[in-house]
Amino acid sequence: MPHATLSRAIRRALFAATIASVAPAAAYAQDAPPTTTLDRIEVTGSNISRGDMETASPVQVVSREEIDRTGKATIAEYLQTLTTDGSGSVPRSYGTGFAAGGTGISLRGLGAGSTLVLLNGRRTAPYGLADDGQKVFTDLSTIPLDAVERVEVLKDGASAIYGSDAIAGVVNIILRKEFNGVTVRSSYGVSGEGDGQQAKASVTFGFGNLAEDRYNVFFNIEGSQTDEIQVADRRDRKWIGTGDARRWGYSQTKRFMNGYILDGDATQSPAGSVKNPGTGQYVGLPGCAQLSPVTPQDPAGGCLWQSGQFNSLTPEEKYVNLFGRGTFAISDNFEAYVEAGYSKKKSTFYNTPSTVSGAWGYPGGPVNADSGDGAVVLGPNHPDNPFPGQSANLRYAAFDVGPRIIRSDSEFSRILAGIKGTAGAWDMDVAYLHSQSDLTNTRDGFLRYSAVRDALTNGTGPGGYWRIGQNANLNSQALYDYISPTIHADGKTTLDLFDIKGSRSLMDLKGGSLGVALGAEWRRQKAELKPQTYTDIGDIIGLGYSSYSGTQEVAAAYAEVVAPVLESLELSGAVRFDSYKGGDNATTPKFGVKWQPIQQLALRATYAEGFRAPNPAESGKGGLAGFAAAADSLRCPGGNPAPGGSVRDCDIQIAVITSPNPDLKPEESKSYTVGLVFEPTPNTTVTLDGWKIERTNEINVETTDAAIAAGHVIRSDNNLPGQPNSGTLLAALANYVNSASTTVRGVDLDVRQRFDLSAHGKLNLDLQWSHVSSFEREEEDGSKLEFAGTHGNCDVTNCIGTPKDKINFGATWEIGNFSLSGIANYVSSFKNVRSKGGTCASRYADGTEAPGGCRIPSFTTFDLSGRWKAQDGVEVFGSIQNLTDKIAPLDPLTYGAINYNPMHSSGAIGRYFTLGVKYTFN
């Protein structure tokens, strides 16, 4: 056998045996014993087992060692460091979002709802809360890290194999299939500031040998507790720990700050501001000096306070994950298997105090508590009203009520039972899966609108009048219980799935066996979210309504073929038909070709069609009201405030009220990849893939900008001079529509290199680079927005932006019983505009574009980890994340964090240390 062929055979055999390595298996070819007998494996994106992991589709295989060297505590944290993850992912730090407590991945920046996450090749029930009240996604935090064997990321469309939701790709998290012995692992982590402590422990226990005892059973239990880090705990970390950005050149009117008065308009403050009934101008109430330490104060008489002083930087979190699997040989040809998983997690997130006015929505329509008949006012007889006998509009941040507290308590369960084996020439697998997610989201510190109006206007409820600002110490607990009751929402999702699939070789071709796979699937998914208490009647100030209920039931059949027509040429194809009960049908094909003109080089290409069916949040019963950052084109034309307006109008948070649409059509997609796999030496592997995804019939909320331009808005009563209905923007009204299309294209590069240093050990290098060359969205009216290299799309989670380049570069040195790894993580800079060609989204106090040059700088961190096998069965490990203590760049636009971008969260936390030990008993 030629050396290159032998090298490839050994690499495939190693992969099939799942002997993971930081470098690719090919790098160890010269150390492995020669073999020509290849186990056949199933690679994500195909139902046909094969001896070669290199299919026509680009698949990134991540070993357990690669995960461990990053020092990440959960599989979710690791996956969100992948270069292919982008805008729309759901970080655990986003506790104020609709999906508080959950974590999700968004391949290619196309959203968590367009990224299919599998566990051992099958779906799980989605998280109980939809992201942004719309996007149903899989919560990654339910998966026990210690049970993970490897992760396979399919980076092209896969609806022909897996059905709906695989538009952007597939993340298949593969857990252990067998285990024998006992492993105990514990670790402790703490930040360089001495906070954010994390204690974690796990035990894996297994017994039985499938070959000898005809069974294997193992269990894994993992528990962790992570303490909260508050924004205020980073008060000395430049802009990270403060909402006051004036020292870095910004105006006090930037939305980091609250409580200012400008041109007669006021924002919320702890002292309170009231509108003079005679002049229409807001004036500040006394008491600011005792309520806020911010200096200098507002020269116009407001009361400046830092909006982030109450916020969590990262939430408190506790969880327990359990996983077990049993495999039993029931004959020489068949085995039965059972998998069971359970997860229970609690997270607590603190946010700024509620305010008493604003705009929000509910099924009955919008609520405007800022102006008009619905405005919150100090009554004529309120003791704190400086205008006795007259009602006065009030703006007030309820410091005395305290921060808003969001607690998410979720439970996840999954059970799978199946039989697999060989019947004649067919390899068969048939299984039934039930998965369920139950969640309760409890909130304190929110204000009930009707009770607040009564307590401020009439004082007839428990505790009488609500005294505010400097007189808040006069209030009773009965009053606070009245105006701020505990509220909650309950979410539940279930998934039942039955599938059967088989594969076989039909005949021999010149390049090998012609493989075929057939399968069928029945799936029913239910989702229900009961709204937060009182939000169904619009009675919680500023809290968006979100509720949905619906069922999806689908039957599907699919076929796949792999034809090695020549030794150098392999063709593949698949087609799937999905039929939704009471809905649409979808037929999705996929084609692939792999050509290997020489042993060291393989060229590959794929074409696939995909779809995403409308989920219950989008097409069922219910609706939502959320928030988004916006620029008011009326009060801030061309990026500059109009006469009578303010810079606040150029960057303002507003309510967005959305209704579901039962007539939605499925999203559809076409994806293309062209690439190569180059192995010039047994120690070097290079993969390069160009990719393009076209998504049409996109299910979106009508854009905020379009709603504003169309006048579908709610405004305050502080009109511009001579312009009726031109007050401060409060809310936009929108619907779910099939309104747009998105075309994303780019390039992925993966390079692996191994060096044998002889007596000095081994050095493994790897680099992953994802480049987004274009991210173009076309609206229904034909207008186009380009997001690549900008801060857009801000209509998706966090408004984190679309940097063109993300790079991870890793190095691992192994010598004897010791290994040391380092990883550099790079995120490129991007312009601080909402789309290409747009005006700068932020400005300094002097009117110049901000940050410098209207650009969020690039961000690079370095992580270090080490392992030492102290003796047989004992391993000590440790890591330092953000070794150089790099500070995240100041980002004034994102609404997922204060002053920094969630992509740069390690730069907000700072240096973080973890130390642990692992014991293995055979």
Side-chain angles (χ1 to χ4, degrees):
M1 179 180 292
H3 177 75
T5 303
L6 176 61
S7 170
R8 200 161 20 256
I10 294 170
R11 177 172 51 79
R12 295 165 187 168
L14 286 172
F15 180 83
T18 65
I19 301 175
S21 171
V22 171
Y28 291 88
Q30 72 273 25
D31 296 328
T35 179
T36 58
T37 303
L38 301 180
D39 292 333
R40 298 181 69 81
I41 58 172
E42 187 174 301
V43 180
T44 300
S46 175
N47 287 307
I48 298 177
S49 298
R50 63 187 71 210
D52 190 350
M53 63 170 286
E54 291 169 359
T55 67
S57 295
V59 179
Q60 179 182 353
V61 180
V62 182
S63 71
R64 177 52 192 268
E65 282 75 8
E66 286 181 278
I67 299 171
D68 285 343
R69 70 176 180 171
T70 65
K72 302 301 182 184
T74 68
I75 191 67
E77 289 181 29
Y78 172 76
L79 289 176
Q80 290 178 343
T81 68
L82 294 178
T83 59
T84 49
D85 182 49
S87 182
S89 64
V90 184
R92 75 182 184 94
S93 60
Y94 192 30
T96 59
F98 278 99
T103 52
I105 183 172
S106 169
L107 294 179
R108 309 301 190 197
L110 289 173
S114 291
T115 301
L116 181 60
V117 176
L118 304 176
L119 189 62
N120 286 344
R122 290 184 170 93
R123 296 170 181 257
T124 67
Y127 190 53
L129 296 176
D131 181 37
D132 286 339
Q134 173 192 6
K135 308 172 189 74
V136 174
F137 68 98
T138 299
D139 180 19
L140 299 170
S141 62
T142 62
I143 299 168
L145 179 61
D146 270 11
V148 174
E149 184 176 277
R150 69 182 186 275
V151 177
E152 295 179 357
V153 182
L154 178 66
K155 296 189 285 187
D156 68 351
S159 287
I161 304 298
Y162 300 113
S164 179
D165 308 334
I167 286 176
V170 177
V171 177
N172 187 10
I173 301 169
I174 299 169
L175 307 184
R176 300 175 189 264
K177 297 295 192 298
E178 287 187 64
F179 185 81
N180 201 310
V182 179
T183 296
V184 179
R185 177 184 174 116
S186 63
S187 63
Y188 177 81
V190 63
S191 79
E193 302 287 337
D195 54 16
Q197 293 91 339
Q198 181 182 71
K200 183 180 178 183
S202 68
V203 177
T204 306
F205 168 67
F207 56 92
N209 184 289
L210 194 60
E212 298 177 3
D213 304 319
R214 299 181 66 81
Y215 72 90
N216 177 261
V217 176
F218 77 91
F219 304 92
N220 172 268
I221 180 171
E222 175 182 279
S224 175
Q225 176 171 326
T226 306
D227 292 344
E228 176 203 24
I229 300 176
Q230 294 185 339
V231 170
D233 294 333
R234 296 295 180 269
R235 59 175 56 90
D236 296 323
R237 196 170 174 80
K238 293 188 176 179
W239 46 76
I240 302 299
T242 177
D244 188 350
R246 288 177 294 176
R247 75 184 82 168
W248 293 284
Y250 290 90
S251 164
Q252 71 181 40
T253 61
K254 195 74 191 103
R255 61 182 174 87
F256 309 131
M257 297 287 293
N258 283 284
Y260 56 86
I261 294 178
L262 183 67
D263 297 329
D265 192 16
T267 59
Q268 321 283 353
S269 83
S273 300
V274 294
K275 191 174 186 179
N276 186 322
T279 66
Q281 304 293 303
Y282 276 90
V283 295
L285 295 176
C288 184
Q290 69 189 66
L291 295 168
S292 174
V294 172
T295 56
Q297 267 297 328
D298 179 15
C303 182
L304 294 178
W305 61 284
Q306 294 188 23
S307 60
Q309 64 183 278
F310 296 92
N311 284 55
S312 298
L313 187 73
T314 61
E316 178 188 45
E317 190 172 82
K318 303 176 183 178
Y319 70 82
V320 174
N321 290 331
L322 302 128
F323 176 76
R325 179 180 170 98
T327 309
F328 310 91
I330 56 179
S331 73
D332 290 340
N333 296 324
F334 282 91
E335 64 183 36
Y337 57 91
V338 177
E339 291 179 1
Y342 174 79
S343 174
K344 183 174 179 63
K345 182 177 67 172
K346 294 183 177 181
S347 64
T348 304
F349 194 95
Y350 289 79
N351 196 13
T352 54
S354 180
T355 59
V356 300
S357 60
W360 61 97
Y362 74 109
V367 179
N368 184 355
D370 194 72
S371 59
D373 294 338
V376 172
V377 301
L378 287 182
N381 299 316
H382 193 289
D384 298 325
N385 188 345
F387 306 104
Q390 302 179 76
S391 293
N393 287 31
L394 173 69
R395 291 180 180 170
Y396 175 59
F399 267 49
D400 52 315
V401 175
R404 288 171 289 177
I405 307 172
I406 304 169
R407 299 181 177 89
S408 296
D409 190 341
S410 64
E411 290 187 68
F412 171 83
S413 59
R414 175 182 180 270
I415 185 163
L416 171 72
I419 297 175
K420 65 186 302 183
T422 303
W426 289 88
D427 294 329
M428 305 291 296
D429 190 353
V430 56
Y432 170 76
L433 168 73
H434 175 78
S435 183
Q436 181 170 316
S437 175
D438 295 274
L439 179 139
T440 298
N441 184 264
T442 304
R443 303 186 180 219
D444 290 301
F446 288 76
L447 298 177
R448 188 173 182 186
Y449 178 50
S450 59
V452 165
R453 293 189 73 187
D454 174 60
L456 291 172
T457 305
N458 305 312
T460 58
Y465 279 110
W466 177 14
R467 305 299 300 275
I468 63 173
Q470 66 178 354
N471 296 317
N473 61 303
L474 302 176
N475 295 318
S476 67
Q477 186 60 47
L479 173 97
Y480 289 124
D481 293 341
Y482 175 50
I483 63 174
S484 181
T486 296
I487 59 177
H488 73 278
D490 297 311
K492 180 177 182 178
T493 64
T494 61
L495 174 69
D496 289 278
L497 180 148
F498 175 82
D499 66 359
I500 180 170
K501 57 186 176 181
S503 64
R504 61 164 296 174
S505 297
L506 285 182
M507 58 188 299
D508 289 332
L509 301 176
K510 288 186 177 181
S513 297
L514 173 65
V516 64
L518 301 173
E521 177 184 306
W522 170 85
R523 184 174 78 248
R524 181 176 62 207
Q525 182 172 302
K526 296 181 179 180
E528 181 182 19
L529 175 64
K530 296 179 180 178
Q532 289 282 347
T533 316
Y534 303 126
T535 59
D536 57 334
I537 56 175
D539 207 26
I540 297 296
I541 293 176
L543 182 58
Y545 169 85
S546 180
S547 175
Y548 46 81
S549 176
T551 300
Q552 283 184 341
E553 188 170 333
V554 58
Y558 53 87
E560 182 186 0
V561 62
V562 174
V565 293
L566 300 172
E567 289 187 5
S568 61
L569 181 64
E570 178 185 278
L571 304 178
S572 58
V575 63
R576 179 180 174 113
F577 177 76
D578 290 83
S579 178
Y580 282 80
K581 184 177 181 180
D584 294 311
N585 299 329
T587 301
T588 47
K590 182 171 183 176
F591 304 99
V593 58
K594 184 177 73 170
W595 178 46
Q596 195 165 359
I598 58 175
Q599 293 291 343
Q600 293 82 13
L601 177 67
L603 305 177
R604 61 190 183 187
T606 64
Y607 166 78
E609 296 181 8
F611 75 102
R612 184 179 76 84
N615 64 51
E618 296 163 331
S619 62
K621 300 176 181 179
L624 70 97
F627 295 87
D632 188 346
S633 56
L634 178 62
R635 296 177 63 91
C636 184
N640 296 301
S646 75
V647 293
R648 173 190 175 203
D649 297 313
C650 304
D651 179 18
I652 189 170
Q653 290 271 18
I654 66 169
V656 179
I657 303 164
T658 310
S659 301
N661 182 355
D663 297 323
L664 290 172
K665 298 296 182 182
E667 294 183 345
E668 298 177 349
S669 69
K670 295 180 180 179
S671 63
Y672 312 81
T673 66
V674 177
L676 60 85
V677 180
F678 182 45
E679 297 177 341
T681 75
N683 296 332
T684 307
T685 301
V686 178
T687 63
L688 178 67
D689 294 282
W691 52 270
K692 176 182 176 182
I693 301 174
E694 299 174 345
R695 185 173 63 181
T696 57
N697 274 351
E698 277 188 356
I699 302 171
N700 292 303
V701 178
E702 291 176 287
T703 66
T704 306
D705 289 343
I708 295 171
H712 300 157
V713 296
I714 302 171
R715 294 184 176 276
S716 184
D717 57 359
N718 58 326
N719 295 327
L720 299 174
Q723 295 188 51
N725 301 318
S726 62
T728 298
L729 194 61
L730 299 175
L733 311 178
N735 292 307
Y736 288 122
V737 290
N738 292 106
S739 64
S741 63
T742 296
T743 300
V744 192
R745 56 173 63 90
V747 177
D748 291 333
L749 174 68
D750 193 315
V751 181
R752 311 274 175 147
Q753 176 67 53
R754 177 182 181 270
F755 298 97
D756 191 337
L757 306 178
S758 188
H760 299 289
K762 301 173 183 177
L763 177 65
N764 303 319
L765 305 177
D766 64 278
L767 178 144
Q768 296 84 42
W769 168 54
S770 291
H771 172 75
V772 179
S773 58
S774 177
F775 197 119
E776 183 182 80
R777 173 169 162 175
E778 182 175 350
E779 303 296 347
E780 193 173 21
D781 61 4
S783 61
K784 296 181 179 180
L785 299 172
E786 174 60 66
F787 296 124
T790 77
H791 216 313
N793 176 6
C794 282
D795 288 330
V796 299
T797 299
N798 288 333
C799 184
I800 66 173
T802 308
K804 287 190 173 183
D805 297 287
K806 295 179 72 174
I807 299 174
N808 294 337
F809 175 70
T812 298
W813 176 47
E814 299 175 351
I815 183 169
N817 293 330
F818 179 77
S819 70
L820 182 68
S821 296
I823 302 176
N825 309 283
Y826 170 81
V827 179
S828 65
S829 66
F830 52 94
K831 294 200 70 174
N832 188 30
V833 295
R834 289 182 171 85
S835 62
K836 186 177 180 179
T839 58
C840 193
S842 306
R843 294 182 180 274
Y844 292 119
D846 63 6
T848 58
E849 296 180 341
C854 193
R855 180 172 291 276
I856 307 300
S858 64
F859 183 64
T860 303
T861 58
F862 187 76
D863 301 330
L864 186 69
S865 67
R867 293 181 175 276
W868 173 48
K869 294 181 180 178
Q871 60 185 54
D872 288 344
V874 179
E875 181 179 271
V876 179
F877 57 90
S879 67
I880 307 174
Q881 297 182 64
N882 194 0
L883 179 68
T884 61
D885 203 26
K886 188 76 173 290
I887 296 177
L890 196 157
D891 186 343
L893 183 60
T894 179
Y895 55 84
I898 296 175
N899 282 3
Y900 73 91
N901 195 296
M903 280 192 296
H904 308 149
S905 61
S906 62
I909 295 170
R911 193 179 288 119
Y912 195 89
F913 303 88
T914 301
L915 184 64
V917 62
K918 176 182 175 182
Y919 300 90
T920 301
F921 310 92
N922 294 321

